[in-house]
Amino acid sequence: MPIIVKKLSFTYSAKTPYERKALNNINLQINEGDFLGIIGHTGSGKSTFIQHINGLIKPQEGEIEIFDIKLTPQKRPKVNLRALRSQVGMVFQYPEYQLFADTVEKDVAFGPKNLGLSSEEVSERVRQAIEMVGLDYEAVKDRAPFELSGGQKRRVAIAGIIAMRPKMLILDEPTAGLDPYGKEQILNLIKYLKTHCSPTIVVISHDIDEITRFANRIVVFNDSRIVYDEPMQQLFKHSIQLQNMGLDIPRAVKIANSLRDRGIDLGEGIVTAEDLMAAIVERYNQKHAAQIDKEACVFDMYDFSQKWLTSEERAELEGKPNVEEEADAPKTVKKNKSKENDKKQKKSKRKKE
Amino acid sequence: MAVKLDHVTFSYNVSDAYRVDALKDLSLQIEEGTFVALVGHNGSGKSTLAKLLNGLLLPTSGDVRIFGNSTLDPDKIYDIRKSVGMVFQNPDNQMIASIVEDDIAFGPENLGIERQEIERRVEWALSKVGMSQYRKQTPFKMSGGQKQRLAIAGVLAIMPKILVLDESTAMLDPKGRSEVLKVAHELNKQEGITVIHITHFMEEALNADRLIVLDSGRIAFDDTPEEVFKHYEELKAIKLAVPWETQLAISLKKVGIDIGEGTVKDEELIDNLCRLL
């Protein structure tokens, strides 16, 4: 079990006139494999909460257990914060503001270097991390991070975190300030990291339509407490309560609710655009005796699915490098080949862009 | 004409090998009282354009005129800065005083305006952004939306004719965003202030009179939002998107279910759906 939080409370500026309770008796269990979304308006306690998980704030009351590391209000035994932070990777809001080195490579290497790894291990991890976020290692490694575009800078910053190979990744407003294209890239990257890097992911976002695209569970903070902790499909039964807390509900839910008010019930569990379209198509088919294929209806924003595949997956999809042919070849050659392939495809992709 | 750009080019690092042309031979006119939304991908030149409007940057070539005054004319630059108020992205970077009214008074004080008039302006500016009751409080503990409204009030106290919001909603939560947007529309309607709203949120452009789309330093589209959002394929090609509802309408239309363009008001969208279902 990666994270168990018990009876956690926290007060800012305690015993002063500015005293403010930020967390009030929080109990939460984050399981391995969770894709957890955290929502709540500004000041609801969600940031204070994630700062606890990363060991940036020491608990005042209650305790947290993270991968066998225990955080308690006690001073002893001393907590191994380095071990904690290498297991829980934290991507803050606007992480690109924290880039500091003069080359991308050095910047990404900072984290793993501080873990005390050998220099070979560090450079291997750096290369992998940069490629994992969808950048061309050779092309960007010697460039100054500041020369890159906003979305690229953010991906370099994320590479710096995943180079530490955290078991769990926490991202605070990962798409804030990006253009629609940059947003889609980051969302696809997060999905990719879930399967290929950190199996447990927590995302904090104000954009509910973004969270519902990947979360399988949503936790709602309000007034320093957790008020809902539900599977994504279930949460929006509480639409009215959520809206009263000043929170947005997904647009698909809004439309389904308005239609229900007008006597058209599209059924339960509509959360995403895809859900809504499938329900609309079904109802339309019934009423007009039409036979529109639900699957044919796609909410097509940008398609990055290709970009975030591993070279093997991509090869399989395109059926390109002949597996039989390569079966006899030495392993290293195979690796190189697929890497070359990888680069070529990335290049051609870039040209298209 | 409130704003007139005549063949404006702006380049960073003009003299060396790293020269970047952020704006390329761009011409543009904005009439007084218009609410303009300005969108474009990261690096398309939006912020450069904003900074040219009040002379924070000067064009490499071409001419920027605000109510007929050129930003290249040193005698006019203070007039220009008085008439073009800018609000930036990060609410925390724009507060200078620890009490709200001092913060709002900072602008007019620097213009040497007399005390009574400053008092009047502070009161007026705070009421315009709906923050009168916070006059004696400190801004540091406020929400992002409140801070941005204060930043707008601080600009209003100088009585600008043009308000430039340079991604002023980017760091806010949905509630803060709608607060700021509402204030901007009210100032436009009630006070006749020309608003230039730069944003990455396509749906924020829906209620603008005019939508200008920048791509790599050039104008890609300049029309009403309804018209511009019809070009969703082209918008995607320049790293933008259409509002969610528009995308829904487009996706459904592709399979033969026509619910209109999707740039209409919510109620109308629901009406159209009800008719079909």
Side-chain angles (χ1 to χ4, degrees):
Chain A
M1 208 71 73
I3 293 189
I4 300 170
V5 181
K6 285 183 199 153
K7 297 184 179 165
L8 184 70
S9 294
F10 190 86
T11 309
Y12 283 108
S13 319
K15 293 174 192 151
T16 73
Y18 300 106
E19 181 172 302
R20 192 170 64 85
K21 197 142 201 159
L23 294 176
N24 192 350
N25 193 22
I26 300 293
N27 293 289
L28 182 69
Q29 188 170 318
I30 302 176
N31 306 310
E32 190 160 350
D34 267 356
F35 214 147
L36 182 73
I38 297 186
I39 59 174
H41 59 75
T42 320
S44 59
K46 50 192 197 317
S47 294
T48 310
F49 176 70
I50 56 160
Q51 287 176 50
H52 274 95
I53 296 181
N54 194 248
L56 288 169
I57 298 181
K58 204 175 149 64
Q60 286 174 342
E61 252 178 82
E63 60 172 53
I64 308 168
E65 214 181 310
I66 303 165
F67 302 110
D68 305 327
I69 299 170
K70 230 179 194 165
L71 303 173
T72 64
Q74 273 83 46
K75 287 209 171 88
R76 312 248 165 225
K78 264 209 152 147
V79 180
N80 185 352
L81 287 175
R82 179 179 292 187
L84 172 65
R85 289 180 190 146
S86 70
Q87 301 197 51
V88 181
M90 176 94 129
V91 179
F92 287 99
Q93 254 185 71
Y94 293 84
E96 62 275 21
Y97 290 170
Q98 296 169 42
L99 297 173
F100 66 98
D102 54 1
T103 71
V104 168
E105 188 170 32
K106 283 187 206 163
D107 208 293
V108 177
F110 182 79
K113 251 190 194 163
N114 278 292
L115 295 179
L117 302 168
S118 71
S119 59
E120 293 86 46
E121 173 74 12
V122 170
S123 37
E124 172 60 16
R125 283 190 178 200
V126 169
R127 191 190 55 74
Q128 272 201 355
I130 292 176
E131 292 191 343
M132 208 174 249
V133 298
L135 297 171
D136 184 339
Y137 173 71
E138 293 298 331
V140 299
K141 71 180 171 85
D142 295 322
R143 290 183 65 187
F146 310 102
E147 292 173 21
L148 306 174
S149 76
Q152 285 174 328
K153 269 190 252 180
R154 188 160 297 182
R155 282 186 279 151
V156 170
I158 294 175
I161 306 290
I162 62 177
M164 294 197 277
R165 307 236 171 111
K167 290 188 200 159
M168 174 174 169
L169 205 54
I170 303 176
L171 302 108
D172 189 0
E173 295 287 348
T175 64
L178 296 179
D179 56 40
Y181 180 85
K183 270 187 191 178
E184 282 299 308
Q185 272 186 323
I186 296 290
L187 290 178
N188 278 280
L189 171 61
I190 294 172
K191 276 190 215 166
Y192 178 81
L193 292 177
K194 172 89 168 66
T195 36
H196 293 93
C197 175
S198 308
T200 310
I201 291 198
V202 177
V203 176
I204 294 180
S205 175
H206 286 313
D207 189 339
I208 191 69
D209 281 304
E210 208 170 279
I211 281 200
T212 50
R213 284 179 50 197
F214 50 71
N216 54 22
R217 175 181 167 197
I218 297 182
V219 166
V220 183
F221 276 79
N222 191 42
D223 282 341
S224 68
R225 290 171 195 272
I226 290 180
V227 287
Y228 295 111
D229 174 3
E230 301 212 18
M232 203 258 283
Q233 305 288 339
Q234 307 288 317
L235 179 70
F236 301 102
K237 286 185 298 196
H238 314 289
S239 290
I240 296 169
Q241 292 89 331
L242 290 170
Q243 282 173 310
N244 286 342
M245 288 172 205
L247 296 173
D248 252 6
I249 56 171
R251 289 173 162 104
V253 175
K254 274 187 209 162
I255 290 181
N257 287 350
S258 309
L259 286 174
R260 190 171 297 129
D261 291 344
R262 303 268 296 262
I264 295 175
D265 191 356
L266 293 177
E268 295 297 319
I270 293 174
V271 178
T272 63
E274 284 78 12
D275 299 339
L276 179 66
M277 288 192 304
I280 289 176
V281 168
E282 195 172 320
R283 175 111 185 172
Y284 185 90
N285 280 346
Q286 274 176 17
K287 191 172 172 189
H288 300 267
Q291 283 181 343
I292 297 168
D293 181 10
K294 267 189 250 176
E295 305 293 318
C297 200
V298 282
F299 198 73
D300 63 335
M301 299 297 259
Y302 295 97
D303 182 15
F304 289 108
S305 49
Q306 297 277 324
K307 198 161 192 165
W308 309 109
L309 296 176
T310 62
S311 39
E312 285 82 18
E313 283 171 334
R314 198 177 295 136
E316 197 178 306
L317 201 79
E318 300 192 355
K320 248 184 197 165
N322 199 328
V323 182
E324 281 168 27
E325 208 179 85
E326 279 193 351
D328 313 63
K331 234 182 175 176
T332 46
V333 175
K334 187 178 174 185
K335 202 175 168 193
N336 283 342
K337 264 195 180 169
S338 61
K339 234 187 257 167
E340 259 174 45
N341 215 334
D342 203 33
K343 263 179 218 151
K344 264 185 217 158
Q345 274 162 10
K346 274 185 190 162
K347 266 183 201 154
S348 64
K349 180 99 193 172
R350 207 167 300 123
K351 265 180 208 159
K352 268 186 236 159
E353 284 169 10
Chain B
M1 202 56 68
V3 175
K4 188 173 180 205
L5 274 75
D6 197 13
H7 297 284
V8 169
T9 296
F10 183 85
S11 312
Y12 291 96
N13 310 319
V14 178
S15 52
D16 60 36
Y18 298 103
R19 176 177 171 133
V20 180
D21 294 335
L23 293 178
K24 297 163 189 161
D25 193 30
L26 190 138
S27 296
L28 170 69
Q29 297 192 5
I30 295 172
E31 258 178 78
E32 191 171 7
T34 323
F35 194 109
V36 180
L38 181 62
V39 304
H41 58 82
N42 290 105
S44 60
K46 307 184 297 292
S47 289
T48 305
L49 177 56
K51 287 179 186 132
L52 283 165
L53 294 180
N54 72 347
L56 282 176
L57 296 175
L58 296 174
T60 309
S61 67
D63 192 20
V64 177
R65 283 180 185 272
I66 304 298
F67 294 107
N69 294 330
S70 168
T71 56
L72 290 167
D73 182 351
D75 294 335
K76 297 288 184 202
I77 195 73
Y78 286 101
D79 286 340
I80 289 172
R81 293 209 174 128
K82 263 190 265 178
S83 47
V84 183
M86 307 250 303
V87 177
F88 297 96
Q89 194 181 97
N90 192 336
D92 292 317
N93 293 348
Q94 299 173 75
M95 301 288 141
I96 44 109
S98 53
I99 299 294
V100 166
E101 61 176 357
D102 295 349
D103 196 88
I104 311 298
F106 180 79
E109 271 172 358
N110 278 285
L111 296 175
I113 290 164
E114 63 182 74
R115 191 185 157 79
Q116 271 188 330
E117 171 66 6
I118 294 180
E119 292 256 341
R120 199 192 62 75
R121 286 193 187 184
V122 169
E123 206 179 303
W124 171 79
L126 282 174
S127 76
K128 279 289 145 195
V129 299
M131 295 283 289
S132 298
Q133 69 273 39
Y134 296 96
R135 187 167 173 169
K136 302 282 182 194
Q137 294 187 19
T138 173
F140 299 108
K141 302 226 163 191
M142 291 178 181
S143 74
Q146 289 174 322
K147 283 184 198 166
Q148 283 302 54
R149 284 190 282 153
L150 284 184
I152 293 176
V155 165
L156 283 182
I158 304 173
M159 311 289 248
K161 290 182 180 143
I162 302 170
L163 179 64
V164 181
L165 304 173
D166 188 0
E167 292 193 40
S168 309
T169 55
M171 296 179 87
L172 306 181
D173 62 17
K175 192 160 159 266
R177 275 171 54 200
S178 63
E179 285 170 12
V180 168
L181 213 61
K182 186 167 158 260
V183 163
H185 276 286
E186 280 170 6
L187 289 170
N188 175 250
K189 293 237 160 56
Q190 295 165 9
E191 307 294 322
I193 293 177
T194 309
V195 177
I196 301 173
H197 177 48
I198 301 177
T199 183
H200 280 314
F201 297 102
M202 298 301 141
E203 67 273 18
E204 289 185 357
L206 272 177
N207 291 322
D209 301 319
R210 181 173 166 193
L211 172 56
I212 298 175
V213 181
L214 281 189
D215 172 38
S216 313
R218 293 196 175 87
I219 292 176
F221 294 99
D222 181 358
D223 210 327
T224 60
E226 294 78 32
E227 282 304 312
V228 173
F229 287 135
K230 282 178 188 166
H231 302 269
Y232 63 99
E233 289 293 352
E234 290 104 308
L235 287 170
K236 263 166 72 176
I238 55 173
K239 304 189 173 185
L240 296 176
V242 293
W244 192 93
E245 284 78 7
T246 317
Q247 181 68 54
L248 180 75
I250 291 164
S251 297
L252 285 172
K253 198 178 235 170
K254 273 188 186 158
V255 294
I257 302 177
D258 188 354
I259 61 165
E261 298 291 348
T263 46
V264 293
K265 294 262 175 311
D266 287 353
E267 307 89 68
E268 232 175 297
L269 188 78
I270 299 296
D271 284 344
N272 291 345
L273 275 168
C274 281
R275 223 169 296 131
L276 282 172
L277 300 179

